Amino acid sequence: MLLGYTGKIAWVDLTQGSIDIQELSEGIAKKYIGGKGLGAHLLYKHLKPGTDPLGPDNIMIFVTGPLTGTNFPAVSRSGLITKSPQTGTFLDSYSGGFFGTQLKWAGFDAIAIKGKAREPSYLLVEEGEIQIKKAEHLWGLTTSETEKQLREKVSSKKGERMSIAAIGPAGENLVKFANIINEKRAHGRGGAGAVMGSKNLKAVIVRGNLKPHIDDEAGFKKIIQRCRRQIAEHPMTKKGGAFPKYGTTMTIDLTQETGTLPSQNWQENTFEEKEKISGDALLNYVTRPRACFACPIGCSRDSKASVNDKEYMTEGPDYETMYALGPNCGICDPAVIIAADHLCDDYGMDTISCGVTIGFAMECFEKGLISKTETDGMDLSFTNGTVLLELIHKIAKCEGVGALLAQGSKRMSKKVAGSKDFAIHIKGLELPGYDPRGMKGQGLSYALSDRGGCHVRGNTLRTELMGLPEPIDRYGYEGKADMVRKLQLSYATCDCIIACLFGSFAITPKDYVQAISAVTGWTITEGDLQTVAERAWNLTRLFNAREGFTRQDDTLPERLFTQGSTKGPSKGEVMDRASFDKMLDEYYDLVGWDKATGIPGEEKLKELEIEK
């Protein structure tokens, strides 16, 4: 028996209507652990190069980790691995809530889905079995209505435990940044919802009671108790601490103070109306706290607001949603941002890409590159909250100008003459809310992210903005390559375990190693876990290289090299191109990648036991 795991990977072929359950070997489990590592291994091995992300041959993989389904704190997340229709790169996306736990309890470490169903369908996964069910009656429904109807249909008793991952109309209409929603949590970035929609797959239901077997129950219980104490004592995670009180919305104060809060499509990096949307301001809209399975932190909150006499409720909004749908679009009304978040979740769209693409369209409009003729008569000026909400409807339905915005900022910039230099994306994925003109290491992290512009592949907020573990010159370039390398491995470690980044404020690598050892019966070290993370990071790089990505794609939006903000702490700062290239060279040397191509070298691949 493979302890801590179910030992099963299900392969679902929607074209054939078949399910093939295969064994997860101990060797593969040890080599890749789970999450990002296991998902990258399966995708690299089974997906042919050049596969159309929205074609039936693309594979999407729901995956868990070795601690998923246990009572260990802050590890209940699930992973979704596929080839992104937005970027063409490797895509891994992680969602909180209960889906990961229920997937493990349903009897599977991973479910890989390929093909295309002849008609709208959903999967019912329970007690080690999978059924493909008809879903014509669900097609066209929002994510919340889909979940409601499926719970009513499938539940045998009130309050029965299950988790449902569903797409909304945006996924059905193949919006490039459509996402997958479970319990108002999101597999958010890169367009996984469009992949699901392209397969005529409306939802996946998981439920069961097949809890994982643990090697050392008594020892594992002691580790859990210790980690819960650490969470209860850490200033970021303890009761009344930053995360339980604010979630991530307190970040807006830090980015404003440091001149790293992008506003008006990154023309500036401070926001004059920040106080109206601060963490404290958002508390006025909170109705209750929320937490993932077995998590004592409870970093999320339900919020409610009214706009034009219509009530909206959402889980959040988090900092990234606040930035993208707020300052980036010139919006300072929390109620409008909450409404926009609600709509994005219900339609099933990534809030970062949606907000940044709308901000890009607003700048195009103000610069006269598009007019009311192209915008269905709407005034797309910054600060227009009414239009923001209307655009979300149009994007999800691909109606009018919404069909253009539904392609994302990169594709849109190719159709709007003169706009390419201020389209804020990397490899097609719009940037999150940390401006690297005020934190130079973040720029390198963005450029090297394996899924495009992303803040959770090595965010330098703690090091460059908070000065942890020690103060660092955030405007400098020296030492940033090694800093980013270490952060990437730290984040990749969490993603292989599928551990929450917020939990890792209080839980140490040593804790994770001891927990995995107690569950599996293996003897592993922190060095072993770091090797797994490095293996996963290099494997996703190989995947992208196989898809045609090179060093030339490891860059930033042109605006960040040439245009500084006009006010605030980072006024006038840009990313110096020569210094950026030097950081890239230093990084490639450190990780063993070819300087000219950015492809991992043979020596590195041999060291990590990776076969091309």
Side-chain angles (χ1 to χ4, degrees):
M1 181 182 294
L2 191 55
L3 298 174
Y5 297 83
T6 69
K8 294 180 181 179
I9 298 175
W11 286 86
V12 179
D13 188 328
L14 293 172
T15 300
Q16 300 298 324
S18 63
I19 291 101
D20 179 26
I21 298 176
Q22 299 180 3
E23 177 187 352
L24 171 62
S25 70
E26 185 174 32
I28 292 298
K30 276 187 174 181
K31 188 173 182 178
Y32 296 103
I33 295 295
K36 186 186 189 86
L38 180 58
H41 163 70
L42 293 172
L43 195 68
Y44 188 78
K45 180 179 179 181
H46 293 282
L47 190 72
K48 292 181 180 178
T51 296
D52 179 0
L54 295 178
D57 292 334
N58 195 11
I59 302 168
M60 57 183 299
I61 307 165
F62 289 99
V63 65
T64 64
L67 300 178
T68 311
T70 72
N71 287 324
F72 192 87
V75 292
S76 70
R77 298 166 70 79
S78 60
L80 188 285
I81 315 293
T82 190
K83 181 180 178 181
S84 169
Q86 190 173 4
T87 64
T89 65
F90 172 85
L91 174 62
D92 58 333
S93 180
Y94 303 92
S95 177
F98 296 80
F99 190 87
T101 296
Q102 288 292 332
L103 175 55
K104 180 72 80 70
W105 289 0
F108 297 98
D109 295 309
I111 297 178
I113 304 165
K114 61 181 179 179
K116 180 179 181 179
R118 293 184 179 88
E119 56 191 358
S121 304
Y122 70 88
L123 298 183
L124 177 59
V125 184
E126 55 181 345
E127 302 295 330
E129 296 184 354
I130 300 175
Q131 300 177 64
I132 303 173
K133 301 278 194 176
K134 293 183 179 180
E136 295 101 325
H137 62 294
L138 302 172
W139 210 250
L141 297 183
T142 63
T143 58
S144 60
E145 187 60 32
T146 298
E147 180 175 347
K148 178 183 177 182
Q149 290 202 19
L150 283 174
R151 285 189 182 277
E152 292 173 352
K153 181 180 179 65
V154 175
S155 295
S156 58
K157 57 185 178 180
K158 187 176 181 180
E160 184 177 6
R161 287 183 175 181
M162 69 178 70
S163 186
I164 301 170
I167 60 169
E172 297 170 5
N173 294 325
L174 309 184
V175 173
K176 290 297 191 296
F177 44 86
N179 65 15
I180 302 168
I181 298 290
N182 62 282
E183 297 109 25
K184 297 185 179 180
R185 306 296 178 97
H187 288 290
R189 311 227 60 202
V195 175
M196 200 158 154
S198 74
K199 296 184 177 302
N200 268 341
L201 185 61
K202 181 65 174 177
V204 178
I205 306 173
V206 289
R207 65 179 178 183
N209 292 291
L210 303 175
K211 298 183 180 181
H213 295 280
I214 295 169
D215 179 67
D216 180 3
E217 289 272 9
F220 186 51
K221 185 177 181 179
K222 290 179 180 178
I223 296 168
I224 290 174
Q225 291 172 341
R226 184 182 74 227
C227 290
R228 284 183 168 269
R229 283 198 302 270
Q230 290 166 196
I231 288 172
E233 294 168 358
H234 195 283
M236 295 296 290
T237 57
K238 69 180 182 180
K239 186 176 180 180
F243 285 133
K245 182 176 181 180
Y246 295 108
T248 58
T249 59
M250 78 286 194
T251 308
I252 204 164
D253 295 319
L254 179 61
T255 52
Q256 173 80 356
E257 291 166 4
T258 54
T260 55
L261 171 60
S263 62
Q264 295 191 309
N265 196 43
W266 292 62
Q267 294 181 80
E268 300 293 345
N269 43 34
T270 53
F271 188 53
E272 292 180 359
E273 306 289 343
K274 189 272 298 183
E275 290 304 320
K276 295 181 179 179
I277 55 170
S278 67
D280 284 317
L282 263 292
L283 292 178
N284 296 317
Y285 298 85
V286 172
T287 58
R288 67 163 185 162
R290 289 174 67 99
C292 298
F293 173 78
C295 181
I297 302 173
C299 68
S300 191
R301 295 96 53 238
D302 281 353
S303 300
K304 181 171 66 174
S306 180
V307 177
N308 296 328
D309 297 324
K310 184 172 182 180
E311 192 172 89
Y312 297 89
M313 291 190 68
T314 188
E315 183 184 4
D318 63 5
Y319 168 72
E320 298 301 337
T321 298
M322 291 293 297
Y323 133 74
L325 296 168
N328 192 62
C329 296
I331 305 296
C332 62
D333 184 348
V336 171
I337 298 170
I338 288 170
D341 189 21
H342 168 105
L343 292 175
C344 284
D345 285 352
D346 240 15
Y347 281 127
M349 292 192 294
D350 176 52
T351 54
I352 298 177
S353 285
C354 187
V356 175
T357 300
I358 290 174
F360 171 66
M362 287 176 165
E363 184 171 353
C364 287
F365 182 83
E366 289 201 347
K367 280 182 160 53
L369 303 181
I370 55 175
S371 67
K372 286 187 176 181
T373 303
E374 291 84 27
T375 65
D376 307 327
M378 292 186 293
D379 179 356
L380 265 59
S381 298
F382 287 110
T383 76
N384 195 331
T386 300
V387 162
L388 174 77
L389 300 182
E390 182 60 28
L391 282 173
I392 292 172
H393 290 293
K394 285 180 172 287
I395 291 169
K397 298 173 183 177
C398 291
E399 291 180 350
V401 69
L404 176 63
L405 273 66
Q407 299 300 307
S409 58
K410 178 181 179 180
R411 290 174 175 83
M412 184 178 171
S413 70
K414 293 180 179 180
K415 297 179 180 180
V416 179
S419 68
K420 184 178 179 181
D421 287 354
F422 59 88
I424 308 299
H425 70 87
I426 292 173
K427 301 179 178 73
L429 189 65
E430 287 76 17
L431 295 192
Y434 307 92
D435 190 337
R437 288 174 293 190
M439 45 193 307
K440 299 308 193 314
Q442 187 75 351
L444 182 64
S445 180
Y446 282 159
L448 291 164
S449 166
D450 51 10
R451 68 176 188 176
C454 176
H455 64 296
V456 287
R457 296 296 173 271
N459 196 346
T460 69
L461 179 147
R462 289 191 218 183
T463 49
E464 291 193 295
L465 298 191
M466 298 175 70
L468 299 174
E470 58 186 28
I472 186 173
D473 178 11
R474 60 192 178 94
Y475 295 116
Y477 299 89
E478 291 297 321
K480 297 298 176 69
D482 192 44
M483 177 191 74
V484 166
R485 178 188 67 84
K486 291 174 181 176
L487 286 168
Q488 287 170 339
L489 292 180
S490 175
Y491 277 62
T493 298
C494 282
D495 290 341
C496 289
I497 301 169
I498 313 193
C500 175
L501 292 171
F502 300 161
S504 69
F505 273 78
I507 302 171
T508 68
K510 183 179 179 180
D511 294 324
Y512 289 123
V513 165
Q514 290 181 353
I516 294 170
S517 296
V519 167
T520 62
W522 302 336
T523 301
I524 64 171
T525 66
E526 291 179 49
D528 294 333
L529 203 53
Q530 181 160 302
T531 297
V532 170
E534 188 177 5
R535 183 178 293 123
W537 189 251
N538 278 265
L539 193 53
T540 63
R541 185 71 180 192
L542 273 185
F543 181 96
N544 288 343
R546 194 170 71 175
E547 296 298 329
F549 290 88
T550 69
R551 176 186 175 126
Q552 302 307 311
D553 299 293
D554 294 343
T555 189
L556 299 172
E558 185 64 19
R559 167 164 283 170
L560 305 190
F561 288 115
T562 59
Q563 182 181 334
S565 61
T566 65
K567 54 192 173 185
S570 297
K571 177 181 177 180
E573 283 286 334
V574 296
M575 180 70 74
D576 179 72
R577 203 181 300 270
S579 298
F580 176 80
D581 288 340
K582 184 181 178 183
M583 283 197 299
L584 267 184
D585 284 340
E586 292 173 355
Y587 176 86
Y588 291 145
D589 278 340
L590 287 168
V591 300
W593 294 357
D594 183 85
K595 281 186 182 180
T597 64
I599 297 175
E602 293 297 330
E603 187 176 337
K604 174 57 66 175
L605 297 180
K606 183 178 180 181
E607 173 193 330
L608 296 172
E609 299 178 326
I610 297 175
E611 296 180 6
K612 283 188 178 180

